[in-house]
Amino acid sequence: MSAQIPEVQSVEELLEKWKQPEVITGSEILLRSLVLEGVDTVFGYPGGAVLYIYDALHNFKEFKHILTRHEQGAIHAADGYARASGKAGVCIATSGPGATNLVTGIATAFMDSVPLVVITGNVFSSLIGTDAFQEADITGITMPITKHSYLVRDVEDLPRVIHEAFHIANTGRKGPVLIDIPKDVSAAKTLFAPVNTVNLRGYNPRLVPNKLQLEKLVRAIAVAERPVIIAGGGVIYSGAHEAMYEFVKRTQIPITTTLLGLGAVPSADDLWMGMPGMHGTYTANNAIQECDLLINIGARFDDRVTGKLNGFAPKAKIVHIDIDPAEIGKNVKPDIPIVGDVKTVLEMLNPDVSRTAKADAWRTQIAQWKMDKPLRYNDSESELKPQWVIEMINETTKGEAIVTTDVGQHQMWAAQYYKFNHPRSWITSGGLGTMGFGFPAAIGAQMAYPERLVVSINGDGGMQMCSQELAICAINNIPVKIVVINNEVLGMVRQWQTLIYNKRYSYTDLAGSPDFVKLAEAYGVKGLRATNKEEASAAWKEALETPGPVLVEFLVPKNENVYPMVVQGATIDQMLMGDEE
Amino acid sequence: MVMKHTIAVLVNDQPGVLQRVSGLFGRRGFNIESITVGQSEEVGLSRMVIVTLGDQNTLEQIEKQLYKLIDVIKVVDLGSKPMVARELALIKVKSEPAERPEIMGVVETFRASVVDIGSTSMLVQVVGDTQKIDAMIELLKPYGIKELSRTGVTAMIRGNA
């Protein structure tokens, strides 16, 4: 049928063309529907069950398809693309092992409320349930880690399902949606009529908050002596950063941003206290414990933030603003619950709150804490300290880069020492803590913003969990600057062993790691190494000046720990400050 | 305070919807004492009636988490209003011919019915609230229960609500 389509030049013309009903295959319906949803990049890996889809992709030029080297790379890249752009990330994998290789990435996106549309192939409908070759019940496997999922049994359903999937993924509390398409469905033909309406009776996210609750909050702000804001990823996902900053400026309330909320307000602002929780700042944690009003905006009271729940913010009246009603009261019972979209809530609140001279003593106290116990580390001239490396990256990029990290010590140091100016410039796996996430996520972010500087900060452990994607950086000239902070151990796990397990270092030594410079070069990516400050500055300068992807390895000592640290089971003001070292 | 709660969940009649609901209970540590599913008054929608144990906070979380499922249309806490709750049990009880009249006596008192008789057993059908069925089973136990099958509770709010 496709031969009958006359030559068209632009996507707009295609869109116009595709509004006309035409008999085409399920695979073509899928691809056209993706274009109609505004998709410009898809990450994927072919296999038997998606062969019809890949056949249709062969000459399809309306969006880019990036062939990763592992399905895990594809889904983390789609995730990075989504976090950077705010659009749903899309990835395609085949049935069975292809689909199950996505599981970690789907769970990662689910925990951090990232919109993804995940397309998997499945075996022929007639073979489903027979343990056929490369069959896996992927909708069943992923049910607990998707916002919703579809197993499409009839090609007629495809246009509706795809449109619903994008709608569900990117509205309300965002999240991954899986579409499983049996091989015969992707081959079957039907009359394609695009769908642009959604009729989901049970799905109606509440954006506008209850006005009475807002009034309660306005009154609570007016009388509070020691108010604090905790802002989370929800501020960024709802595009509320400007309204957020206005709220902070109007109320002059000190603010702490969670790991996923970094960038919600500029780090340079005096009212910003850093990150709270396990590796939060002395100031943020003490402020939470001493405050009389805690306003949680789009964060979910994760246990890494609250520490021991019984004893968290003991003096505070608690306000919780979240689009997901189930988050309210799940971990911390609020005095003022507000269900709604963070941006809508803040825009409604802002005219009613005014710059207040109240609570000057509180702000003085906070300034004092910041002065007394800033983030600090013992720098060295003989060794390269990882915190110093982050500070150097921060200084050279001026907070303008998109930074992705993997998971572990380097992640916490980056969160602590990198200073953020913008939302969507910090991409990290928070909820699931997925090693192997950072590097492919950077590829996705770079695909979303080809012109921006994307820096991927990794540990030597996580880098080895998806290092095969160096190939796609090289092949597609994706100019990610890849940083490997190499301390030759599984640093964060080792840190726990140091502090909690009596220095019994059980299997955290990563001896046998590859030569990362040679590894990069083997894939055709430039590799550089630094062992001291001088080399580090020179290598990093060279990396920034070199077009295309570059990997820079920084060799750092293995004994360096992340401080402050709140041990599990303690309240967050019981911080180890690392002063004894 | 841990209490028994009965909730009705109106869901899209889609393949896998029971798995979504029961899976949610399992992984969030909510208890399912009984679950019944069947057609509702509307084509395309099924009604599940779930009996669960928990305090008020747990019940609130159960309702909120259920509403997150796209296929869930409505959740009603039936216990918040006067309701009618019924379950059905089939009880195969040992009975030599000599014991039959005695068992029939129990059955009649409970307004249950005998729906089958074998040479050494009787099949008793009983409908009622959970306590009634528990009591019936207690009374039949001495004769020897060979097989027992209970449906779990289905329920509805009384009156026009």
Side-chain angles (χ1 to χ4, degrees):
Chain A
M1 295 305 290
S2 53
Q4 293 174 16
I5 302 175
E7 283 289 314
V8 278
Q9 296 303 314
S10 70
V11 171
E12 284 71 30
E13 284 176 63
L14 278 172
L15 294 181
E16 205 47 50
K17 168 76 191 159
W18 291 345
K19 284 179 190 160
Q20 310 302 318
E22 190 183 358
V23 175
I24 53 173
T25 65
S27 300
E28 289 168 311
I29 290 176
L30 169 68
L31 301 187
R32 291 186 187 189
S33 299
L34 293 181
V35 174
L36 292 171
E37 296 296 336
V39 171
D40 56 28
T41 311
V42 166
F43 303 87
Y45 203 98
V50 285
L51 271 174
Y52 286 107
I53 297 172
Y54 273 83
D55 188 59
L57 258 173
H58 187 54
N59 285 321
F60 200 82
K61 302 289 176 228
E62 281 63 57
F63 55 72
K64 279 191 226 75
H65 174 278
I66 300 288
L67 172 65
T68 58
R69 293 299 181 265
H70 192 298
E71 287 87 355
Q72 188 182 357
I75 187 134
H76 290 328
D79 183 318
Y81 174 94
R83 292 188 204 225
S85 68
K87 291 163 64 176
V90 181
C91 101
I92 303 177
T94 191
S95 66
T100 55
N101 276 344
L102 300 174
V103 168
T104 303
I106 297 174
T108 304
F110 184 71
M111 288 288 270
D112 289 349
S113 309
V114 177
L116 292 185
V117 173
V118 181
I119 294 148
T120 51
N122 210 329
V123 298
F124 281 91
S125 299
S126 56
L127 291 176
I128 286 180
T130 66
D131 305 319
F133 176 67
Q134 291 196 329
E135 185 196 353
D137 171 18
I138 195 65
T139 48
I141 290 169
T142 57
M143 230 169 239
I145 51 168
T146 49
K147 187 170 171 187
H148 192 53
S149 54
Y150 295 92
L151 169 55
V152 183
R153 294 198 177 256
D154 186 342
V155 68
E156 306 270 345
D157 292 336
L158 257 183
R160 172 185 62 82
V161 162
I162 294 164
H163 188 58
E164 280 180 10
F166 276 87
H167 176 74
I168 292 169
N170 218 358
T171 52
R173 179 173 182 175
K174 298 167 189 197
V177 177
L178 181 119
I179 307 175
D180 197 24
I181 308 176
K183 193 168 180 179
D184 50 310
V185 174
S186 64
K189 287 186 173 180
T190 191
L191 192 68
F192 172 52
V195 171
N196 59 7
T197 53
V198 172
N199 180 19
L200 290 165
R201 251 173 95 179
Y203 180 70
N204 198 8
R206 188 159 125 205
L207 301 181
V208 182
N210 179 313
K211 279 208 171 127
L212 289 174
Q213 298 297 83
L214 289 192
E215 284 165 18
K216 276 192 208 166
L217 173 53
V218 170
R219 283 199 297 276
I221 290 170
V223 299
E225 300 281 341
R226 301 184 310 279
V228 159
I229 298 167
I230 292 187
V235 174
I236 289 161
Y237 297 151
S238 78
H241 53 282
E242 283 169 0
M244 180 76 249
Y245 200 39
E246 189 187 335
F247 182 73
V248 170
K249 286 286 153 197
R250 277 174 168 273
T251 57
Q252 292 289 303
I253 301 177
I255 177 170
T256 169
T257 47
T258 68
L259 183 68
L260 291 189
L262 293 172
V265 295
S267 303
D269 197 280
D270 276 348
L271 288 163
W272 186 65
M273 301 185 288
M275 188 169 71
M278 182 173 275
H279 295 294
T281 61
Y282 180 83
T283 309
N285 283 351
N286 276 323
I288 290 169
Q289 292 304 83
E290 288 302 319
C291 72
D292 64 354
L293 176 67
L294 182 70
I295 309 172
N296 176 336
I297 307 180
R300 60 190 175 88
F301 286 123
D302 176 53
D303 54 277
R304 282 292 198 265
V305 164
T306 62
K308 187 180 165 193
L309 262 181
N310 183 11
F312 172 74
K315 302 166 185 169
K317 181 179 239 189
I318 307 248
V319 183
H320 194 174
I321 303 170
D322 206 298
I323 195 154
D324 180 358
E327 282 307 330
I328 291 176
K330 188 182 79 177
N331 298 332
V332 173
K333 195 104 189 127
D335 300 286
I336 307 178
I338 298 177
V339 177
D341 168 58
V342 166
K343 187 177 179 188
T344 312
V345 171
L346 289 174
E347 284 176 351
M348 285 171 74
L349 271 175
N350 277 338
D352 294 333
V353 289
S354 57
R355 187 180 289 266
T356 168
K358 228 174 135 62
D360 272 351
W362 177 234
R363 286 189 287 271
T364 309
Q365 168 69 73
I366 281 164
Q368 189 63 46
W369 279 329
K370 275 189 185 176
M371 200 120 73
D372 290 348
K373 305 263 176 152
L375 284 172
R376 54 174 285 281
Y377 62 96
N378 294 321
D379 201 7
S380 159
E381 287 311 310
S382 57
E383 291 178 313
L384 191 53
K385 288 293 181 96
Q387 300 94 329
W388 184 89
V389 173
I390 305 288
E391 286 184 328
M392 178 190 72
I393 294 171
N394 181 51
E395 275 162 34
T396 50
T397 61
K398 308 267 184 275
E400 295 298 314
I402 297 178
V403 176
T404 80
T405 76
D406 216 73
V407 169
Q409 287 182 316
H410 70 277
Q411 178 191 31
M412 290 300 127
W413 284 317
Q416 291 175 334
Y417 291 94
Y418 196 84
K419 302 296 172 223
F420 300 92
N421 292 336
H422 308 288
R424 298 197 178 281
S425 294
W426 166 248
I427 292 171
T428 195
S429 165
L432 199 67
T434 307
M435 284 176 73
F437 169 84
F439 171 47
I443 293 169
Q446 187 82 77
M447 292 303 296
Y449 291 103
E451 305 305 323
R452 284 185 69 180
L453 173 63
V454 176
V455 178
S456 174
I457 303 175
N458 305 274
D460 46 323
M463 189 64 207
Q464 292 181 66
M465 287 202 179
C466 270
S467 60
Q468 73 283 350
E469 304 308 343
L470 283 162
I472 61 174
C473 275
I475 288 278
N476 300 289
N477 194 29
I478 298 171
V480 175
K481 306 305 172 198
I482 308 151
V483 171
V484 180
I485 309 271
N486 188 354
N487 58 1
E488 299 181 315
V489 291
L490 216 42
M492 189 58 95
V493 187
R494 189 180 191 274
Q495 174 167 341
W496 283 51
Q497 290 174 337
T498 305
L499 298 172
I500 302 162
Y501 294 88
N502 297 322
K503 300 193 179 179
R504 283 158 57 85
Y505 296 122
S506 183
Y507 300 99
T508 42
D509 190 324
L510 287 181
S513 295
D515 177 327
F516 285 101
V517 172
K518 282 188 181 161
L519 180 71
E521 283 167 354
Y523 280 105
V525 170
K526 182 170 191 158
L528 300 164
R529 178 178 292 120
T531 58
N532 58 43
K533 283 183 177 177
E534 200 179 324
E535 286 174 14
S537 298
W540 184 241
K541 186 166 183 281
E542 187 178 345
L544 290 179
E545 286 168 357
T546 307
V550 183
L551 182 149
V552 193
E553 181 189 22
F554 297 93
L555 292 176
V556 301
K558 66 179 65 156
N559 289 326
E560 197 66 26
N561 287 331
V562 181
Y563 291 110
M565 178 176 177
V566 177
V567 204
Q568 258 182 334
T571 54
I572 54 169
D573 49 356
Q574 297 173 299
M575 285 166 274
L576 305 178
M577 299 302 293
D579 295 323
E580 71 283 359
E581 284 187 13
Chain B
M1 192 181 59
V2 174
M3 282 176 57
K4 199 176 269 194
H5 302 280
T6 308
I7 50 180
V9 189
L10 200 63
V11 297
N12 282 324
D13 187 11
Q14 292 283 334
V17 69
L18 179 60
Q19 191 186 350
R20 285 183 206 276
V21 170
S22 58
L24 171 72
F25 273 73
R27 70 177 171 273
R28 296 224 174 244
F30 304 144
N31 171 288
I32 296 183
E33 194 166 285
S34 88
I35 183 165
T36 63
V37 197
Q39 285 179 355
S40 73
E41 67 282 2
E42 197 179 323
V43 178
L45 299 186
S46 300
R47 191 180 305 274
M48 297 182 180
V49 174
I50 303 170
V51 180
T52 181
L53 281 172
D55 58 17
Q56 209 54 38
N57 282 344
T58 309
L59 178 67
E60 191 183 318
Q61 262 299 306
I62 289 173
E63 286 187 32
K64 285 174 167 176
Q65 293 291 344
L66 280 171
Y67 268 122
K68 287 179 72 166
L69 300 177
I70 307 287
D71 282 329
V72 168
I73 310 285
K74 199 173 177 194
V75 182
V76 182
D77 172 17
L78 296 172
S80 62
K81 293 194 175 131
M83 64 163 177
V84 179
R86 292 287 180 269
E87 70 175 298
L88 180 146
L90 293 175
I91 308 161
K92 192 175 276 180
V93 59
K94 273 190 208 160
S95 62
E96 295 302 324
E99 293 169 318
R100 277 184 200 160
E102 210 178 307
I103 294 173
M104 293 292 278
V106 175
V107 168
E108 275 160 28
T109 314
F110 276 80
R111 293 189 191 169
S113 51
V114 174
V115 291
D116 184 51
I117 299 182
S119 55
T120 59
S121 70
M122 290 165 81
L123 184 55
V124 177
Q125 169 189 299
V126 56
V127 175
D129 60 22
T130 304
Q131 289 85 344
K132 175 178 167 180
I133 290 166
D134 289 346
M136 178 97 213
I137 291 166
E138 276 310 306
L139 283 174
L140 291 179
K141 256 186 195 163
Y143 302 99
I145 292 174
K146 296 173 78 170
E147 222 177 301
L148 170 70
S149 180
R150 294 173 75 153
T151 59
V153 174
T154 190
M156 220 173 249
I157 291 175
R158 284 183 188 276
N160 298 330

